[in-house]
Amino acid sequence: MDIGLMQDHSLRPMTNADLEQVLQWRNHPEVRSYMYATHEIHPEEHRNWFKNSKTNPSIELLIYERVGKAQGFVNIT
């Protein structure tokens, strides 16, 4: 792969600024149907999940970016 193409892709830690976008992705019907919990996530539940995940050292929440724009979410446990 061309090194220039690799530089267009990155992973970074999820932040509070990403909460709304990740919630939209998570609640999309085509995504939700493949998740462990298929109910629609409400904002308060989503914020609590993020707060609890940030304090768990065995969980990494990452945002995949392509050319500086968020494209997806990665949860490594």
Side-chain angles (χ1 to χ4, degrees):
M1 176 179 276
D2 182 323
I3 192 70
L5 292 176
M6 290 175 49
Q7 292 174 347
D8 290 342
H9 302 269
S10 63
L11 287 173
R12 63 168 175 76
M14 182 179 167
T15 68
N16 285 327
D18 299 306
L19 281 173
E20 185 176 330
Q21 178 65 66
V22 172
L23 181 61
Q24 288 177 8
W25 289 332
R26 171 62 180 83
N27 279 334
H28 189 284
E30 291 179 16
V31 172
R32 200 169 64 223
S33 68
Y34 292 99
M35 302 299 290
Y36 177 74
T38 59
H39 68 282
E40 186 170 339
I41 304 295
H42 295 283
E44 183 177 348
E45 180 182 358
H46 187 60
R47 284 189 299 272
N48 288 335
W49 161 81
F50 183 61
K51 180 181 174 184
N52 292 332
S53 295
K54 287 193 321 182
T55 62
N56 186 335
S58 67
I59 297 176
E60 291 291 333
L61 305 178
L62 305 169
I63 298 296
Y64 163 69
E65 291 186 340
R66 182 170 182 223
V67 192
K69 184 175 180 200
Q71 299 292 312
F73 169 73
V74 179
N75 182 344
I76 301 173
T77 304

